[in-house]
Amino acid sequence: MPELPEVETIKRRLEEILPSKVINQVTVFREKSFAGEINQILDKKIIQISRRAKLIRVHLEDRLNLLIHLKMTGQLIYQDELVKIGGGHPTADWVNSLPSPHTRVLITFTDDSRLFFNDMRVFGWIRVLSDLSIEREYANYGLDANDNKFTADYLRDKVKSRSIPIKQAIMLNKILGGVGNIYAAEALFLAGIDPRKPANSLSMVELQQLVTRIKEVINLGIKHGGTTFDGKYVDLSGMSGRHQEYLYVYGRADEKCVNCAKSLSNVKIAGRSTVFCRSCQK
DNA sequence: CCTTGTGTTCTCCG
DNA sequence: CCGGAGAACACAAG
């Protein structure tokens, strides 16, 4: 379940690895996972990598891009024949047996290094888009959670006419980019706010606290290389993140609240499971 | 049956 | 009747 910290972790490594590589071959094992003309991107050089919300953008020559959304079970795995032997990042053993039954797309570069797109549940996708199309796509998104312009005033403006639960609100792309079920639950716990509370009922003090905590937990998630739950998220080398060791509520239903030791509650909010402390979150 | 990110579609209400 | 809000459903596989 890659959210902003997981996608950012992947983006930062792609940034070290991909620029100046040239796409040599694209193999699509599952049609649904790739949209666009492969011929358009062959022999194109990679210029830079960027991220918006949970999207990874690979900038190519000629104003072309690969836009990648991992959704819930998508993984990008990088394999370099040269690095395999010695230095660089530690690599999970299973990476050497790719492609796997879940490999949907394989991109090979002219230096024989390879990028695998694995996606068990086939919700994720890679699309070939022009710069213009990318801008159109981005227009649907609110600010990123780690954007300096994301403030309590901004959030109040976005939720003032919204009575949906605050947790659902901060997970909506139009309001805020990059926050999913894990970091939403964690931020609300740290802010001491009941996730079921109508978004437009929060005071400015609560909104400020929430904004602060969202940024805090997102930045901590990045620092820990993301959260790996059920093995769904791994980095470019197939390695897990470490933030799962620092979770207060997500995945801890019926366990004790670290703050008050009471049993954590589990409710459905907008169809998603939500763990929180009835005693500490009001 | 459950899990989730997001797009679509439908319904309600002012 | 339009538009926004929100609910419901769809997707997919383990």
Side-chain angles (χ1 to χ4, degrees):
Chain A
M1 307 154 244
E3 302 180 28
L4 193 155
E6 292 74 37
V7 177
E8 177 66 19
T9 301
I10 293 170
K11 177 256 178 182
R12 288 184 184 182
R13 282 227 26 231
L14 286 175
E15 207 163 38
E16 298 169 4
I17 294 167
L18 294 190
S20 86
K21 285 187 190 284
V22 175
I23 295 174
N24 186 44
Q25 196 182 350
V26 177
T27 310
V28 176
F29 299 99
R30 182 84 166 225
E31 287 302 319
K32 202 177 166 296
S33 302
F34 188 95
E37 271 298 316
I38 291 173
N39 284 337
Q40 258 191 314
I41 60 169
L42 294 182
D43 302 320
K44 292 286 189 286
K45 186 194 282 186
I46 293 170
I47 307 300
Q48 68 169 113
I49 313 293
S50 60
R51 178 195 59 74
R52 180 88 166 83
K54 298 167 191 167
L55 294 163
I56 294 170
R57 175 181 182 182
V58 179
H59 304 240
L60 306 174
E61 295 174 300
D62 300 340
R63 288 184 292 255
L64 284 170
N65 306 266
L66 294 178
L67 195 64
I68 304 170
H69 201 312
L70 302 173
K71 292 291 179 90
M72 281 113 62
T73 59
Q75 308 174 331
L76 289 177
I77 303 295
Y78 175 74
Q79 217 177 55
D80 183 342
E81 296 298 315
L82 303 172
V83 170
K84 214 191 267 179
I85 303 177
H89 297 258
T91 302
D93 292 339
W94 60 267
V95 167
N96 293 317
S97 61
L98 292 174
S100 76
H102 298 312
T103 300
R104 309 304 182 192
V105 181
L106 168 59
I107 299 173
T108 306
F109 303 101
T110 51
D111 62 359
D112 287 334
S113 59
R114 311 190 279 175
L115 192 63
F116 295 84
F117 175 53
N118 299 334
D119 186 15
M120 185 177 76
R121 283 161 67 178
V122 208
F123 275 33
W125 42 258
I126 299 178
R127 292 177 188 156
V128 179
L129 293 173
S130 66
D131 283 1
L132 195 64
S133 305
I134 295 260
E135 292 313 316
R136 237 178 274 136
E137 181 88 21
Y138 283 2
N140 299 321
Y141 287 79
L143 293 176
D144 269 26
N146 65 346
D147 193 312
N148 287 334
K149 295 192 287 296
F150 172 46
T151 62
D153 282 336
Y154 169 86
L155 187 55
R156 180 182 57 179
D157 186 56
K158 289 290 184 186
V159 303
K160 64 188 174 198
S161 64
R162 300 292 216 124
S163 59
I164 51 174
I166 184 61
K167 170 164 176 277
Q168 189 185 356
I170 60 176
M171 289 170 64
L172 284 179
N173 278 326
K174 278 202 175 275
I175 294 177
L176 190 60
V179 176
N181 212 18
I182 298 174
Y183 295 96
E186 293 299 305
L188 284 158
F189 174 79
L190 291 171
I193 296 168
D194 188 325
R196 301 167 298 179
K197 210 165 173 176
N200 57 3
S201 75
L202 270 67
S203 69
M204 270 316 274
V205 171
E206 288 176 312
L207 287 173
Q208 182 55 65
Q209 179 64 206
L210 182 55
V211 168
T212 303
R213 296 306 198 166
I214 288 172
K215 292 186 179 205
E216 178 184 314
V217 78
I218 288 286
N219 286 326
L220 198 58
I222 294 172
K223 193 179 152 195
H224 290 141
T227 302
T228 299
F229 223 86
D230 299 333
K232 288 195 183 75
Y233 160 74
V234 290
D235 70 10
L236 274 194
S237 305
M239 306 294 279
S240 295
R242 288 172 287 116
H243 192 67
Q244 62 279 6
E245 295 160 28
Y246 302 86
L247 297 175
Y248 294 102
V249 288
Y250 183 86
R252 299 191 65 239
D254 303 324
E255 291 180 37
K256 285 181 177 176
C257 170
V258 296
N259 189 39
C260 73
K262 293 200 176 81
S263 185
L264 293 172
S265 302
N266 191 6
V267 295
K268 289 270 184 196
I269 295 178
R272 307 299 177 214
S273 72
T274 304
V275 182
F276 73 109
C277 177
R278 287 178 193 275
S279 167
C280 300
Q281 295 175 255
K282 299 292 183 187

